[in-house]
Structure formats: structure tokens, C-alpha cells
Amino acid sequence: MDYRVEKDSMGEIEVPSNVYWGAQSARSLIHFEIGWEKMPREIIKAMGILKKASAIVNAELGKLPAEKAELIIKACDEVIEGKLDSHFPLSIWQTGSGTQSNMNANEVISNRAIEMAGGVMGSKKPIHPNDDVNKSQSSNDTFPTAMHIAAAEEINHRLIPAIKNLRDTLKKKSEEFADIIKSGRTHLMDAVPLTLGQEFSGYVHQLDKALERINLVLPGLYEIALGGTAVGTGLNTHPLFAEKVAAEINKITGLPFVSAPNKFEALAAHDALVFAHGALKTLAASLMKIANDIRWMASGPRCGLGELSIPENEPGSSIMPGKVNPTQSEAMTMVATQVFGNDTAINIAGASGNFELNVFKPVLIYNFLQSVRLLADTCKMFNEHCAKGIEPIREKLNYYMNNTLMLVTALNPHIGYDNAAKIAKHAHKQGISLKQSAIELGILTSEEFDKYVRPEDMLGPK
């Protein structure tokens, strides 16, 4: 492999000739060969967005020559489009401020701009990674800005549509199942009737509330730290830079980003991301409930509950022929488990800032973006490969509904709790129906029982 020699404030270092990264990225690759987790593509794109916005605003404010800004903007567009992704090789496990990744972006944009200008890569002429690409910026405000841009874009463009699609499918199922009466279950035991549609309406409302909570946390993510520079004071920026660069990022992304009203908080803490991930964790809890219910109701085919039929997507066993498993539910519950773990990591990272800077930024945003990606993907897969194909098994639903002892609850207003309990216990002990039990005990006649115990009249207040 051919190498070129680049310089930074610590001296010379060899860099592969065919890459756009420079000296500080090369040092990071040596010192942080930890794990396989690389900086997410979403952060790389966000860096391109904020560097482009900064170049535009610096040029408008007379801080950067127009010809330099034009070169930087062209290189940033390639970063945003993903054309230069292979030149961002750095590990998540690096400096806690994300400084190496900020410099990785500065070096890649600088060297690509130099190449466009016909210059020599690594020369820092005509575009310097610090003086030009990083003008009016610090790693301490660029990386948290990239965190918020990436989080907001992924939630808006990936997660929310996936939740809505799953919610709409479950809503359609709820309406289709509106007339199917079934036995309820509480404590995993028989309970009073409801409709399958009512049961599914609970899942729909869980996702409606999840969307509400996610929309509630977005305003905090729209506040960006850019303009705070090193400690939040805005040293080395134009007085108008922070507001203007936020407006420019707003234009580029189409999302309502604003300059954070207090840059000290924006650099030193990540409460907005901790709060936002709480909404993601709650969504994960909802999805685990929904997935578990559906796989229990679909359990069988002969020795389980067998109330629902779900799509048969793949063979379920390497030894048991014909076995098919509820794999979409299993995947969804595993995703939920991972999100719960990510939440713990994010809580610790968010709580661990010291004085003017939180230095757990890369691990925090890595886990956050993983949660968004996993939740969006599992909603999409569950919707396409499970929810859309859910069908009721009416015979089994009717069997359970007609044989549940908890239909006796309808008798409470007529004969009292104690007499109703006698009927249920006698029926269970003798293995007979509630109606037979009521007649044997002399508490009700056949006609009275039929008058009072009507499952279709037990589905709401009367």
C-alpha cells in the first residue's frame, strides 16, 4: 500500500494514499482499535449537513471566502449523499467528546475539496481542516449537534412511519374482529368476555400513545448546540452564527431545528436524548406486550391457545418436521430487550457529564440510533410478515367463550357475589356447565340463567 505523510500538531504520520482522512484520523485508528462498532452512517451524514451549513453561514458573514465555501459545500454534499462513507472508519470507542470523528469529517471534507481544486491531498491548501472546514466550531458543539440531527432525522423518517403502518394494520384488524366475542384473561386465568376487536383496540391505542410520546420529545432534539464552541460561550464565532446556522440546517433537513437557548446545557448534558430514549423504551415495552399476546393467542397448533392464525414464514425446527414458530414475535421481543439495555447505557452516559462537557457522547448516540433502527425495522417486519396475516380461529374462540366460568360474573347483580361464586366453584369441581350448576344448586332456573347470562350483553356498561 502506498502512503503519504500528513502533519498535525503532534507531528508527522503516514496515511494511506487512497483515503481522504488525515493525520488525526490515522492516530485514532492506532489508538482506538477497540471492538467492531463504527461511527453510524447517520452521524456521518449529520456531520456533512452541519459542516455544509457552517460553510454557508461563515461565507455569508464574511468569515470564509466564497471560493473556499463553494469547495467545502461540494465536498459536504458528497458526505451527505453517502459517497464518502468508506472514508469514515473510526470506532465508537474513542474520545468521549467525539473529537476524532469531528476531525475525521474535517479531514475528509478538506482533502476531497483539495482534490476538487486540483491540489495535493494532505497539504491543507487551499482548504484547511481546522481553519476552514471547522471554522466557528468545536468538536464540543459539532458532535452534539450531529447527535441531535441524526436522532431527529431517524425518528421522523424511519421510526414514525414504521409505527404508523403497524398501527394502521392493527386498527384494521380491530375493526375486522369487532363482532368476535372471546374469553378475556387476567393473571393468565379466565376472565369476563370482550371482543377480539376490543382486545386489538388496546394495541392500537398503545401505538397511538407511543406516537404522542415520541412527538412530545422531538422539540428537545430540535435544539442544537452549534455556536457554543468549546464550553458554551461561543468563543471564535460571529454573534449571528448560532442562529443563522440553525436556520440553515433547518433548510437542508426540512426539520425545525433551532439554536439551543443555553449552550452550556447543550454541551454539558444530554438530557434531551435521555428523555427521548425514554419514549423509545416505552414503545419497546408496548411492542413486547403486543408481540407476546399475539404469540400466546397463536400458540399451538393443537396444544396451545390456538385462537389466532399467524403467517407461516419459515420452518421452525431442524429436528421436528412441520413445526412453525412465531418468529416475528420472537424477533420483536428480542429487539425490546436490546432497547431496554440501551436505555440503561444511555441513562448512565447521560448522567456522567462533568462540568462543561459530557464525554460519553459516542456511546450514547450509538445506542440511541441502534434503538431507533431496531424499533423501526421490527415494526416494519412484524407488520409485513405477521400482523397483516393475522386471522381468528373462530371455533376455538367460541369454545373458550362458551366454556369460561367467568360468565358467572353476569349473575352478580341478580343473585349476589356469594351465590355466583358457589355456581362457578360447583361447576368447576363437577366438570359441568354454569347452567347445569345453577340448576343443580337450585339457585336459578334454566330460563333465568339464559336471561341473565348473555355474553353479547357483557361487552360494556349497561
Side-chain angles (χ1 to χ4, degrees):
M1 180 180 289
D2 293 331
Y3 291 88
R4 67 178 184 271
V5 175
E6 290 215 14
K7 296 180 181 179
D8 59 13
S9 61
M10 298 190 74
E12 294 184 344
I13 187 169
E14 287 187 336
V15 178
S17 299
N18 63 338
V19 301
Y20 291 123
W21 72 70
Q24 292 198 42
S25 300
R27 295 189 195 283
S28 183
L29 288 171
I30 294 169
H31 298 141
F32 299 104
E33 193 175 347
I34 304 171
W36 52 262
E37 298 86 356
K38 304 302 181 184
M39 196 58 63
R41 159 70 189 143
E42 298 88 348
I43 289 291
I44 296 169
K45 178 184 176 184
M47 278 290 186
I49 290 170
L50 72 90
K51 296 293 178 182
K52 177 180 180 177
S54 296
I56 292 170
V57 172
N58 279 321
E60 287 179 359
L61 295 174
K63 303 282 283 185
L64 185 69
E67 60 273 16
K68 287 191 174 187
E70 185 177 350
L71 287 169
I72 292 171
I73 290 166
K74 287 180 179 178
C76 286
D77 283 337
E78 293 190 359
V79 172
I80 295 167
E81 292 164 11
K83 294 180 178 179
L84 306 180
D85 283 357
S86 62
H87 299 271
F88 291 85
L90 302 193
S91 173
I92 284 295
W93 317 110
Q94 54 166 281
T95 176
S97 61
T99 298
Q100 276 90 45
S101 284
N102 180 47
M103 284 307 304
N104 187 187
N106 291 333
E107 291 170 346
V108 168
I109 293 166
S110 168
N111 277 324
R112 178 66 182 115
I114 290 168
E115 185 179 61
M116 289 176 177
V120 177
M121 286 202 299
S123 67
K124 303 182 183 180
K125 297 176 182 178
I127 303 298
H128 194 286
N130 297 80
D131 297 338
D132 298 321
V133 183
N134 201 61
K135 183 177 288 292
S136 306
Q137 303 154 58
S138 161
S139 300
N140 297 353
D141 65 350
T142 56
F143 201 84
T145 297
M147 292 165 74
H148 277 216
I149 292 172
E153 285 216 308
E154 287 300 291
I155 287 173
N156 276 287
H157 302 318
R158 187 192 291 263
L159 181 58
I160 288 176
I163 298 170
K164 285 181 176 178
N165 286 339
L166 177 56
R167 180 263 177 210
D168 290 347
T169 295
L170 294 176
K171 175 66 173 176
K172 182 179 179 182
K173 293 296 178 181
S174 176
E175 293 168 350
E176 290 175 4
F177 304 157
D179 66 338
I180 301 174
I181 303 174
K182 60 165 291 184
S183 174
R185 294 184 181 88
T186 59
H187 306 269
L188 295 179
M189 307 298 282
D190 301 351
V192 296
L194 76 166
T195 68
L196 187 60
Q198 288 173 323
E199 193 164 39
F200 269 65
S201 77
Y203 309 148
V204 174
H205 196 65
Q206 280 187 283
L207 297 185
D208 283 338
K209 299 302 289 186
L211 289 166
E212 283 184 23
R213 294 183 192 102
I214 290 169
N215 283 310
L216 181 68
V217 304
L218 282 173
L221 299 181
Y222 292 141
E223 295 183 2
I224 58 173
L226 203 55
T229 62
V231 298
T233 60
L235 179 67
N236 291 348
T237 65
H238 188 285
L240 299 178
F241 177 79
E243 295 293 336
K244 283 184 169 291
V245 80
E248 196 62 42
I249 291 172
N250 189 325
K251 290 180 187 176
I252 295 170
T253 63
L255 296 175
F257 289 104
V258 296
S259 183
N262 188 298
K263 303 298 190 297
F264 306 104
E265 184 270 349
L267 272 60
H270 290 300
D271 295 351
L273 283 161
V274 174
F275 180 48
H277 198 270
L280 303 186
K281 176 188 67 177
T282 306
L283 169 62
S286 297
L287 293 177
M288 179 168 272
K289 163 67 164 66
I290 294 166
N292 272 328
D293 278 9
I294 288 173
R295 69 171 162 179
W296 273 112
M297 286 189 279
S299 61
R302 295 191 175 181
C303 300
L305 295 180
E307 294 183 340
L308 296 179
S309 169
I310 59 175
E312 298 182 351
N313 295 323
E314 60 274 313
S317 174
S318 61
I319 189 172
M320 292 177 279
K323 193 172 191 298
V324 179
N325 299 325
T327 52
Q328 286 299 318
S329 286
E330 291 169 4
M332 181 169 274
T333 54
M334 285 194 290
V335 165
T337 300
Q338 184 64 52
V339 173
F340 296 151
N342 288 350
D343 194 66
T344 298
I346 287 169
N347 290 342
I348 295 169
S352 299
N354 300 117
F355 303 112
E356 279 64 63
L357 190 67
N358 177 292
V359 290
F360 288 76
K361 300 183 195 299
V363 70
L364 196 159
I365 194 58
Y366 178 83
N367 281 281
F368 189 101
L369 292 173
Q370 186 192 56
S371 290
V372 174
R373 185 165 54 251
L374 290 176
L375 288 167
D377 288 351
T378 196
C379 283
K380 180 180 178 182
M381 292 296 100
F382 192 88
N383 184 47
E384 292 295 327
H385 302 300
C386 183
K388 287 184 177 180
I390 293 172
E391 296 295 338
I393 301 176
R394 290 177 181 263
E395 298 82 4
K396 189 60 71 73
L397 288 160
N398 288 335
Y399 173 81
Y400 290 142
M401 189 273 293
N402 290 323
N403 285 277
T404 176
L405 296 175
M406 291 304 99
L407 290 175
V408 77
T409 308
L411 296 176
N412 287 355
H414 307 287
I415 62 174
Y417 182 96
D418 291 340
N419 280 328
K422 288 178 184 178
I423 292 172
K425 288 179 179 293
H426 183 68
H428 183 53
K429 184 176 181 180
Q430 299 299 320
I432 60 178
S433 69
L434 288 172
K435 184 175 181 178
Q436 287 176 283
S437 178
I439 294 169
E440 282 187 11
L441 292 172
I443 296 175
L444 289 171
T445 65
S446 175
E447 292 76 14
E448 288 172 329
F449 184 91
D450 290 341
K451 178 181 178 182
Y452 299 145
V453 181
R454 298 172 59 84
E456 64 272 21
D457 292 335
M458 299 176 68
L459 305 175
K462 291 186 77 67

